[in-house]
Amino acid sequence: MTAKIIDGKQVAAQMRAELKDKVAQLKSKGITPGLAVILVGQDPASQSYVTAKEKACAEIGMHSDDNRLPAETTQEALLELIAHFNTDPKIHGILVQLPLPKHINEDQVLLAIDPNKDVDGFHPVNVGRMVVGQDAFLPCTPHGVIQLLLRSGVELAGAEVVIVGRSNIVGKPLANMLIQKSRTGNATVTVCHTRTKNIAEHTRRSDIVIAAAGRPNTITAEMVKDGVVIIDVGVNRVEDAAKKKGYRLVGDVDFPAVSQKASLITPVPGGVGPMTITMLLYNTVLSAEKTLKALSS
Ligand code: GUN
């Protein structure tokens, strides 16, 4: 079997077109959705993510307030900036790009963001609300993965899903979202990680494998069954002298071999990546809609 490619760029473009219409409607009612983006330091991958987020905001007519701070920025200064955006009426979403430099306490920074502007869905209030099935901002990458599956016609109810990776940004929230008693859940979920005894034993029986380990070739063809659906969340830079930049991007999955066995598979780049940014736009528009509703009630 040769897999059909799940085209994240195409799904993202369709969702962004829907969001652009919503932004136009909000603007006609006097509200321009605004996102504050904060990047501390010069990590090259973070810089390119942040540039892509700012560009995406502009493309759908949203306002973005871009804050690129030096690596030496103090935690106090960062918390002050967050406090400013928490009360800025032009801002409906605040995104602090992770990881932060070592001298800054990430937990305290995430706690400082107003949960009503936490469009990353990382604040413990939103995480808790998500876990108990209440209305919450859903974290962008896991939400993007679920949208890709649903919009590709994959049945989640009763499906055996294996997630490889247990990060706070992807693995843990995705597992929670997939077990919710809802249209976006009802799956049977296993989470594998670095201490799992035999990952292949789990992946071989699963209908859907989601790789979020951050390591190339974590999922090989021998580890999956015929017809499996593969979602590759990994973004790894591997040296490649043939490329102008000196590297190329690969996921966590051995794409050439696994795509011979899978029924559906996401490529890297062009799979999950475009969806993450789209769901960030989605959350920011949702936040602006909530503001409008509160103003008119
Ligand atoms: N770093 C890697 N992924 C993310 C994300 O989704 N949001 C933020 N803020 N930082 C990240």
Side-chain angles (χ1 to χ4, degrees), residues 4-223:
K4 196 167 157 248
I5 304 287
I6 298 179
D7 185 346
K9 274 197 224 161
Q10 195 187 336
V11 178
Q14 186 193 338
M15 289 194 76
R16 288 184 199 194
E18 292 162 17
L19 288 167
K20 196 172 180 177
D21 287 346
K22 286 195 174 187
V23 171
Q25 278 174 32
L26 281 161
K27 279 182 165 171
S28 73
K29 292 174 183 149
I31 290 197
T32 301
L35 176 70
V37 180
I38 305 173
L39 171 63
V40 185
Q42 265 101 37
D43 176 65
S46 291
Q47 280 180 327
S48 43
Y49 287 140
V50 162
T51 303
K53 287 169 186 176
E54 291 159 355
K55 194 167 152 246
C57 283
E59 277 169 8
I60 66 160
M62 272 172 44
H63 162 64
S64 74
D65 191 323
D66 311 329
N67 301 264
R68 299 192 183 217
L69 312 178
E72 317 75 66
T73 302
T74 63
Q75 179 165 319
E76 200 183 14
L78 179 56
L79 292 177
E80 258 175 45
L81 186 61
I82 291 170
H84 160 73
F85 286 127
N86 277 344
T87 55
D88 182 346
K90 294 191 298 300
I91 295 301
H92 305 93
I94 301 170
L95 178 137
V96 179
Q97 185 66 27
L98 303 179
L100 287 164
K102 296 240 173 334
H103 66 279
I104 297 180
N105 182 320
E106 203 165 281
D107 288 343
Q108 283 192 24
V109 169
L110 297 181
L111 263 181
I113 298 171
D114 179 347
N116 294 315
K117 295 192 178 186
D118 170 38
V119 286
D120 254 330
F122 292 163
H123 191 290
V125 164
N126 279 314
V127 176
R129 293 177 66 93
M130 172 196 71
V131 171
V132 295
Q134 291 177 7
D135 185 35
F137 286 118
L138 298 174
C140 303
T141 302
H143 194 189
V145 166
I146 290 180
Q147 288 299 323
L148 273 185
L149 288 167
L150 291 176
R151 288 171 186 250
S152 306
V154 176
E155 178 70 49
L156 293 176
E160 288 278 347
V161 182
V162 169
I163 300 169
V164 183
R166 57 174 158 182
S167 69
N168 287 342
I169 294 182
V170 185
K172 279 190 219 164
L174 188 52
N176 266 296
M177 289 158 80
L178 285 168
I179 57 168
Q180 293 296 322
K181 206 170 184 177
S182 70
R183 195 180 70 88
T184 57
N186 288 324
T188 303
V189 179
T190 303
V191 181
C192 296
H193 47 75
T194 43
R195 303 299 291 268
T196 299
K197 284 193 185 129
N198 187 344
I199 294 181
E201 198 175 276
H202 299 283
T203 51
R204 263 189 219 120
R205 68 174 151 73
S206 66
D207 304 313
I208 303 170
V209 173
I210 302 173
R215 193 168 49 93
N217 292 319
T218 300
I219 305 297
T220 59
E222 305 74 60
M223 293 171 71

Side-chain angles (χ1 to χ4, degrees), residues 164 199-200 203-204 209 211 215-226 228 230 232 252-262 265:
V164 183
I199 294 181
T203 51
R204 263 189 219 120
V209 173
R215 193 168 49 93
N217 292 319
T218 300
I219 305 297
T220 59
E222 305 74 60
M223 293 171 71
V224 298
K225 70 178 181 186
D226 279 322
V228 67
I230 300 279
D232 192 349
D252 290 354
V253 175
D254 177 4
F255 184 91
V258 173
S259 59
Q260 295 304 308
K261 277 179 104 174
I265 189 166

